[in-house]
Amino acid sequence: MKNKSLIACAALSACLALPSLAQQQLTVVNFGGANANAQKKAFYEPYEKAGNKIVAVEYNGEQAKVKAMVEAKKVTWDVVEVESPDAARGCDEGLYEKLDYSKIVPKADLLPAAVNECAVGIFVWSTVMAYNGDKLKTPPTSWADFWDTKKIPGKRGMRKGARYNLEFALLADGVKPADVYKVLATKDGADRAFKKLTELKPNIQWWEAGAQAPQFLVAGDVALTTVFNGRIDAANREGRNLKIYWPGGIYDLDYWAIPKGTPNKDAAVKFIAFTMQTPQQAAYAQNIAYGPANTKALATLDKKVLDDLPTSATNAKEALQFSVGFWADQGEALEKRFAAWATQ
Amino acid sequence: MNAPDMAPPRAQDSHAPGALRKALARAEVRRKWRAFSLTLPLLVFLLLTLLVPIAALLQRAVENPEVANALPGTMRALDGWDRRDAPPAAAYAALVGDLARLPDRSDAGALARRLNSEVPGARSMVMGAYRDLPFEGTPDAIKERLLGADPRWGEAPFWRAIAKNGARWTPDYLLASVDLQRDALGQVERMPEEQRAFGGILLRTFHISLVVTLVCLLVGYPLAWWLASLPARSANVLMILVLVPFWTSILVRAAAWIVLLQSEGLVNRGLMGLGLIEQPLALLFNRTGVVIAMVHILLPFMILPLYSVMKSVPPTYLRAAVSLGSSPIAAFFRVYVPQTYPGIGAGALLVFILAIGYYVTPALLGGADDQMLSYYIARYTNVEVNWGMACALGALLLAATLLLYGVYRRIGKAELSLG
């Protein structure tokens, strides 16, 4: 609440400010929640100390808003945090400006997946299995356990939709992490994933917003849940004892992108370059357990922070990289199939 | 009138009344225009904010410019193709030629998105070819190169999607919204079973709305009756109980229901404390939670029309029926209830029509199979950015509402009175 009112104050004062000042202010759009708080501490506040003005706006990943702005040629968002399939599609459809990496950060300093024509990766996050360490005495040891309601009784929290769940279903069905997308791309593989999901269907409690999953765990509504790893970290910072099962986690990046036609393009590039520098990237990872996209920042972090990141060697060992291409191609059809499946 | 001898004096005399009549008519027209001009702001407002957007929505549901704009040469090359096996090499050459002529990359992106919603995977094929431009050589060499990059180029479905979408207008979105599609030769057929989603979702939307309407009627009718029979002062106080929730934000009420219904919530803890249940009931993130919250939110829309109709029913009729020998229950159902039919009709229609458009409550309190049509409209608008599909589903919802209203008018044969 406090942060929101601060943001509102910033927005209000920005509106009242003189036009000359208004030119220096930048509208940055993020996904809100614990992630936005970490960005505020690591990116916005230090950037504002240098005499710039940031107006932070929260959204839910709706690309339709960006598309409407770009098509109407009235772009009021300068920098937008986007998920990987939206970065790829948005770039193809001309929603985002092309980036000149010489003005941002050397490509060699970044994780390979962070480099995109129109978007630069900010951090690595992961969708993982988690449980409440206080309530669950026999922790899960595989994704098959997620499906095994005899061994671990109780409901299972899963994200409402096809994404991630199909991958997890195949992992539980014995597919190796490296083969998941290969199998899922075939008709038989998709059938197999849905069939496996059907087994668990009566025991699934669906979540939609990232904050719901840790709440379900804390309230005891579910015994196991899929969740974004940073949300578990945020809950543990508030004194909970939630635990993550890392193998089979699906990691992905969030990106910065600049909507095409923004009048503040240069300032937007400068801001992005600032956030991609080593100290800011390291500060971000210290505020929330998401891995920095800048590999140099990784080296500066101490072990305690590293242990919680999806990018640490132990955590990433059996992880699965989210396939942007697969979901950009198959997402619409699979989500529709999921809607049909949910009715059956 | 027809008598000839009457004509001359009439013609003479009618000069003045004629002018008067004209003046009267003119005054009448002026008055009508004045009255009309008072409604003009609202009319313009409705036109601009309701009719124009709805027309645009309906247009978008059948509009299909992407393929026709981007691939005119390919369409010509596909002319005469039997749509069964892979098309002639000339089509491959024409396709890369068309791609090369596109003014901007975003045109290729729009084309890729359009084709991908027909054939999953077409996005990466089109964008891959676009990135590989320019292509040189004979049509056969181009075909070889494309097939080498991605064997899916040899499959017919992708080419069929292009051939089918060459026209600027398409019934495909509307067909898809009722689980139909066109086959290779343009014949309408049912979708493969695992893709049949919207028929079920539409049925589910109607089912939830019907249940909510019935529960609202069953709960609201006695309350409205009681309110209407109370003296004005106490009725006003009790009306506050109806109106305060009515004035509270839907989001606040949905959040309150989450607090109440969760497994450690007030309801479950209360029932367990009373020893009525052993295990907490599953009240949230399923149909139960959705129906409870929707009934709570929509109840005032049932009670208020019922109340206003019941207020106008003279209580003496009921007393007269009883004094003439009817049992109180028979008198209630045969004398009182029929007089409240307009209120029942108005309330039920209002609740049902509001319910079929519900979005927030099922999204917050429902599971994956409790989402109503609006959820998918929002999804296609915001997440998939397939606005044609969103508009087609919107048109479906609009048609359902209009149809319902038509049925009501036909069966009810009464003018709608909403209070």
Side-chain angles (χ1 to χ4, degrees), chain A residues 54-76:
Chain A
I54 297 281
V55 180
V57 174
E58 290 181 14
Y59 86 140
N60 227 340
E62 296 99 341
Q63 294 302 295
K65 288 188 183 163
V66 178
K67 189 173 156 87
M69 273 184 200
V70 173
E71 281 184 3
K73 296 201 165 42
K74 193 161 171 32
V75 179
T76 54

Side-chain angles (χ1 to χ4, degrees), chain A residues 93 208 221 328-329 332 342-343, chain B residues 113 116 124 204 263 375 386:
Chain A
E93 288 168 36
E208 193 156 28
D221 287 335
D329 273 4
E332 192 174 336
T343 316
Chain B
R113 185 188 280 276
N116 198 67
S124 55
R204 176 198 305 164
S263 56
Y375 177 85
N386 181 348

